[in-house]
Amino acid sequence: MNIFRAFYCRTFQFGLSLGMRFLSIPLPKTKQGEGCSLTLIDDMKERGLSRPLFFIEGVLRNAGLSLALENKLKEAGFKARFFTDIKPNPTTKLVEQAKQAYFDGGCDCLIALGGGSTIDLAKAVGVVVVYPKKKIGQFAGILKIHRKIPPLFAIPTTCGTGSETTLASVIVDEEKKDKYQIDAPALVPSYAYLDGALLAKLPKKVIAMTGMDALTHAVEAYLGRANTKFTKQCAKDAFAGIGKYLLAFYEDVSNEWARNAMLKASYDAGNAFTRAFVGYVHALAHSLGGFYNVPHGFANAVLLPYVLRAYGKSINKKATEILYYLGITYNKDLEPYEALASVVDSLNAKMGISKDFNAGYPEEDIPALAKHADKEGNPLYPVPKLFTIKELSSILKEARL
């Protein structure tokens, strides 16, 4: 990267990270433990709420995942309206449909039970509900939301996105093939329920991808240059939980301790990156998600080792620290950055995640993908080493094979 653009990027990042230290980012009122999501009823009563728009994927509702909570809502006399047409990588079209459902149902709050896509969709709907004359795309970027969204009760059913505690929502514009992030403190859910019982039937594939998503969040936050004492501790706690419990949960979904620990690790990683930002892994993953609907956790898992190796020796000190906090055995003869990348490779392999995208995108699209990632990452993300479009293209070429 030329010296003038590098100076601009670093100056922007310094100013933003300084501003973030003075920005008040709330934490959701958080409860943890098997069955804790059922206390949502009491929290709604306490706030005088009774007409939620309930976001849940149709397949999860049909499987009975929300049955106990639905029964509690009925017993309390609440009138819930359900929005179930949810897919990975929520789109602007879904946001508009759910917005209409909110108004048609006379709703007064939002419940999101599901993975990151479900919670992200609920956040975006909260925005257009309080800005009814605007489209969600107008809020892409940072700090463009200045009104409180309706109370949002977030119940994660995966162990990766951390969306239940972040100030971010990621939305896809299908027409423009664009995947963008919206960041504002108003998007932090009012409540988060880390209910491990809801993960008891999670497929291994989902555990793998979301678990590696959480690891990517923690790694990118920790490697970045916008850390605070709080974000460092959150990332360290996430490393400890993931290093000890991700494979245990993957191998035995009935392991109650492991699934609750992974929910907490995902939450900790979310608290880290929502304040310290992510990096080029996410910028590249968002490109692939926008162009080809590649699942976000899978994209992060594949890309993370490639980006770590591209950072090289610039991350050796922090890579050594991450390896320590993960507590996973590694080859100490390797450079720390290579050792960390190899640990990620090993975790991916043990959980059936491929080393590359198996030519999942045409080589001729790489320049456009890299340009999109460059636009997202530079100057926003306080990465340890700045990459050019050419360097981002090289990573995509390596990971494509």
Side-chain angles (χ1 to χ4, degrees):
M1 183 176 290
N2 73 63
I3 189 170
F4 298 107
R5 191 173 190 225
F7 177 77
Y8 166 68
C9 288
R10 291 308 192 195
T11 302
F12 179 94
Q13 292 160 12
F14 175 77
L16 184 61
S17 63
L18 191 63
M20 289 292 288
R21 292 171 187 267
F22 295 98
L23 182 66
S24 177
I25 302 176
L27 285 168
K29 183 176 181 181
T30 305
K31 299 181 180 180
Q32 185 175 14
E34 307 259 322
C36 71
S37 60
L38 298 180
T39 66
L40 177 152
I41 307 300
D42 298 326
D43 295 326
M44 286 182 63
K45 286 180 178 177
E46 188 177 299
R47 299 191 61 162
L49 303 167
S50 63
R51 301 180 72 93
L53 179 60
F54 196 136
F55 294 83
I56 180 173
E57 288 184 47
V59 66
L60 296 183
R61 190 183 184 199
N62 292 338
L65 200 65
S66 61
L67 183 59
L69 183 54
E70 287 186 46
N71 288 337
K72 285 279 186 180
L73 288 167
K74 288 178 183 177
E75 289 171 12
F78 296 166
K79 295 182 179 180
R81 187 181 182 96
F82 290 85
F83 190 86
T84 59
D85 186 18
I86 302 169
K87 302 175 181 65
N89 297 319
T91 64
T92 52
K93 182 179 179 182
L94 284 182
V95 172
E96 287 300 310
Q97 290 174 351
K99 168 190 169 182
Q100 192 59 50
Y102 185 94
F103 287 129
D104 289 347
C107 300
D108 57 14
C109 61
L110 307 160
I111 297 174
L113 191 155
S117 293
T118 300
I119 299 173
D120 278 7
L121 176 60
K123 290 179 180 180
V125 172
V127 174
V128 292
V129 161
V130 296
Y131 289 97
K133 294 182 180 180
K134 293 188 176 184
K135 300 294 184 183
I136 192 62
Q138 294 176 253
F139 300 95
I142 58 174
L143 307 179
K144 295 181 180 179
I145 301 163
H146 307 292
R147 299 175 185 173
K148 286 186 177 181
I149 69 170
L152 170 56
F153 302 83
I155 311 168
T157 59
T158 64
C159 55
T161 68
S163 189
E164 70 277 1
T165 189
T166 70
L167 51 64
S169 174
V170 181
I171 301 296
V172 172
D173 187 319
E174 290 175 303
E175 292 183 5
K176 297 180 180 179
K177 289 189 174 181
D178 190 17
K179 186 173 185 177
Y180 51 79
Q181 189 160 308
I182 303 165
D183 295 301
L187 293 183
V188 177
S190 309
Y191 297 83
Y193 305 88
L194 309 183
D195 186 346
L198 298 174
L199 276 64
K201 295 182 180 179
L202 207 60
K204 283 181 177 289
K205 183 178 180 180
V206 177
I207 294 171
M209 290 194 294
T210 58
M212 294 306 292
D213 191 20
L215 177 60
T216 305
H217 292 155
V219 167
E220 292 213 289
Y222 196 82
L223 291 179
R225 297 164 57 138
N227 269 300
T228 64
K229 185 177 180 180
F230 176 72
T231 61
K232 283 183 179 178
Q233 189 58 55
C234 287
K236 290 174 185 178
D237 290 343
F239 294 140
I242 293 166
K244 190 172 183 179
Y245 293 108
L246 175 54
L247 288 180
F249 182 32
Y250 177 80
E251 291 164 1
D252 181 10
V253 73
S254 69
N255 186 329
E256 181 179 328
W257 189 268
R259 64 182 182 237
N260 280 284
M262 278 304 302
L263 261 181
K264 180 60 164 55
S266 173
Y267 175 84
D268 289 331
N271 280 327
F273 89 82
T274 203
R275 291 161 176 81
F277 300 96
V278 283
Y280 291 128
V281 177
H282 275 73
L284 291 164
H286 288 159
S287 293
L288 293 170
F291 275 67
Y292 304 107
N293 206 32
V294 176
H296 182 66
F298 172 64
N300 277 348
V302 173
L303 288 163
L304 181 55
Y306 291 94
V307 173
L308 292 173
R309 290 185 171 105
Y311 284 144
K313 293 183 179 182
S314 68
I315 63 168
N316 268 350
K317 183 179 182 297
K318 287 187 174 180
T320 301
E321 294 168 1
I322 292 171
L323 288 164
Y324 171 78
Y325 292 116
L326 279 171
I328 296 175
T329 302
Y330 64 95
N331 185 349
K332 295 184 179 180
D333 292 331
L334 298 173
E335 288 267 16
Y337 77 86
E338 177 60 39
L340 180 57
S342 296
V343 164
V344 176
D345 283 335
S346 177
L347 285 172
N348 281 339
K350 288 176 180 177
M351 295 188 294
I353 297 175
S354 60
K355 290 194 67 170
D356 54 54
F357 292 104
N358 193 27
Y361 46 90
E363 190 166 357
E364 58 266 27
D365 283 358
I366 287 177
L369 291 166
K371 186 177 180 180
H372 186 281
D374 174 77
K375 182 180 178 181
E376 176 179 330
N378 299 318
L380 179 61
Y381 296 150
V383 291
K385 180 180 178 181
L386 293 168
F387 290 162
T388 62
I389 292 178
K390 183 178 179 180
E391 289 168 310
L392 293 168
S393 294
S394 294
I395 292 169
L396 287 168
K397 286 178 183 177
E398 290 180 43
R400 177 180 177 273
L401 298 176

